[in-house]
């Protein structure tokens, strides 16, 4: 009878505990692979949640459609979409990473870092990776257009990294939104500048977005030491103030162009005023009604801006 040397495997006819052990090890490895896939998918989902997907998708879609109606070709629209998406992802991830400690202290549910679904280093890494992609994608539309977009992204990062807690918290929103029309129009042949009223209207939309975005978090922000412009004003004043910059933006978009406003312009202005006043008058029924009214005014402003098309450029 021959003996088996170390390292020799069993023949096909041999059985024993070793086969069971091999099977158990393979099952363990498979379970590990399954856990890895689940963990990887969960991390991707958590990263999507951390990027503020609603605003990210809304801003990316808005600017891409604005590029389309202003005359950017298919390649230009794709470049605009990619650059804006990368910029918005970087801003959202930077915001969650910078606010991780405050979110945990305030007990904000739904924040992936505070919930333990992501590590703060992972989110910082994602933010810087998206920012690194944003630079060449922005500059692909031209030096002037790319610079305009990167100035807006830099302003948003400045907000995330400290300006949000100062009286100038509105400024990054004004600069960020105000940089979007130049990014679109300077990428057109001839590098056309946008009309002043289009830039100012976009900046006012940004201020209105800032007020509306911060409103639900004012009590928690004050508890964690964040004293930006809306927090200093307080909930009641902010609720009343939200429609003001949005209505000013409506007026600029209706009366700013050289041509007189047509029927649609007057209808948009009347609708915006009705939404704003309705929100304020019905505030006693629900504290969310003024916010909903402000969102409706913002929607009117966005539609007006998109309807302008090439009219937002300086002839």
């Amino acid at each position: 009878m021959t003996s088996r040397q170390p390292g020799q495997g069993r023949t096909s006819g041999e059985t024993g505990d070793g086969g069971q052990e091999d099977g158990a090890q393979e099952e363990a490895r498979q379970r590990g692979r399954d856990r890895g896939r689940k963990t990887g998918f969960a991390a991707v989902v958590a990263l999507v949640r951390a990027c503020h997907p609603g605003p990210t998708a809304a801003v990316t879609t808005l600017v891409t459609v604005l590029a389309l109606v202003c005359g950017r070709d298919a390649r230009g629209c794709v470049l605009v979409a990619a650059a804006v998406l990368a910029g918005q992802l970087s801003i959202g991830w930077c915001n969650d990473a910078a606010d991780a400690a405050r979110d945990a202290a305030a007990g904000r549910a739904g924040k992936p870092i505070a919930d333990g679904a992501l590590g703060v280093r992972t989110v910082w890494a994602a933010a810087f990776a998206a920012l690194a992609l944003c630079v060449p994608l922005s500059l692909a539309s031209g030096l002037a257009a790319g610079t305009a977009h990167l100035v807006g992204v830099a302003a948003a990062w400045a907000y995330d990294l400290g300006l949000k807690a100062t009286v100038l918290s509105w400024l990054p929103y004004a600069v960020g939104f105000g940089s979007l029309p130049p990014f679109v129009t300077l990428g057109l042949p001839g590098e056309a500048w946008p009309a002043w009223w289009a830039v100012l209207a976009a900046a006012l939309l940004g201020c209105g977005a800032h007020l509306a975005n911060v409103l639900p978090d004012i009590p928690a922000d004050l508890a964690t030491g964040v004293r930006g412009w809306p927090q200093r004003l307080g909930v009641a004043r902010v609720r009343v103030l939200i429609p003001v910059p949005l209505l000013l933006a409506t007026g600029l978009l209706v009366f700013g162009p050289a041509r007189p406003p047509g029927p649609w312009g007057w209808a948009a202005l009347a609708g915006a005023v009705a939404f704003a006043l309705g929100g304020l008058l019905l505030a006693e029924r629900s504290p969310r009604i003024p916010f909903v009214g402000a969102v409706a005014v913002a929607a009117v402003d966005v539609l007006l801006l998109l309807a302008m098309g090439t009219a937002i450029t300086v002839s």
Side-chain angles (χ1 to χ4, degrees):
M1 184 174 66
T2 60
S3 61
R4 185 181 299 109
Q5 297 299 319
Q8 285 184 302
R10 293 180 181 273
T11 62
S12 59
E14 291 179 313
T15 61
D17 293 341
Q20 295 176 355
E21 291 174 0
D22 290 344
Q25 290 172 357
E26 179 58 29
E27 289 180 8
R29 284 194 290 270
Q30 183 61 44
R31 286 196 298 270
R33 286 192 290 268
D34 291 341
R35 281 196 300 271
R37 281 193 290 268
K38 291 178 182 177
T39 301
F41 179 73
V44 171
V45 172
L47 273 175
V48 171
R49 289 167 50 213
C51 80
H52 299 220
T56 293
V59 173
T60 301
T61 302
L62 165 62
V63 183
T64 303
V65 174
L66 183 62
L68 178 65
V69 300
C70 283
R72 295 284 291 265
D73 59 16
R75 176 179 177 274
C77 289
V78 170
L79 288 174
V80 166
V84 174
L85 177 60
Q88 291 299 306
L89 287 173
S90 79
I91 294 164
W93 284 327
C94 174
N95 182 278
D96 263 30
D99 285 353
R102 281 193 291 265
D103 289 339
R108 289 191 176 120
K111 291 288 188 177
I113 301 177
D115 291 346
L118 281 175
V120 67
R121 289 185 180 181
T122 300
V123 181
W124 274 125
F128 281 109
L131 182 62
L133 283 174
C134 180
V135 175
L137 288 171
S138 299
L139 295 176
S141 290
L143 180 60
T147 300
H149 184 236
L150 291 174
V151 166
V153 173
W157 271 67
Y159 174 86
D160 290 344
L161 296 177
L163 274 181
K164 69 183 301 177
T166 74
V167 73
L168 294 177
S169 63
W170 58 272
L171 184 59
Y173 272 83
V175 173
F177 277 72
S179 70
L180 296 176
F183 175 46
V184 169
T185 63
L186 288 171
L188 291 166
E191 296 186 341
W193 281 92
W196 67 269
W197 47 265
V199 176
L200 184 54
L204 287 168
L205 272 172
C207 290
H210 175 41
L211 292 169
N213 184 56
V214 171
L215 178 60
D217 295 327
I218 287 179
D221 286 340
L222 290 173
T224 54
V226 177
R227 290 184 54 79
W229 178 46
Q231 290 88 353
R232 294 166 192 250
L233 291 173
V235 172
R237 291 177 182 175
V238 169
R239 189 178 290 126
V240 174
L241 185 61
I242 287 175
V244 174
L246 300 175
L247 287 175
L248 289 173
T250 308
L252 282 170
L253 293 171
V254 171
F255 298 110
R259 63 176 184 268
W264 288 110
W266 287 109
L269 182 61
V273 171
F275 286 135
L277 290 179
L280 293 177
L281 293 174
L282 298 175
E284 293 183 358
R285 295 190 178 185
S286 170
R288 287 193 56 82
I289 290 180
F291 175 76
V292 173
V295 170
V297 177
V300 170
D301 292 344
V302 168
L303 291 174
L304 277 173
L305 185 62
L306 295 178
M308 297 292 176
T310 55
I312 71 168
T313 60
V314 175
S315 57

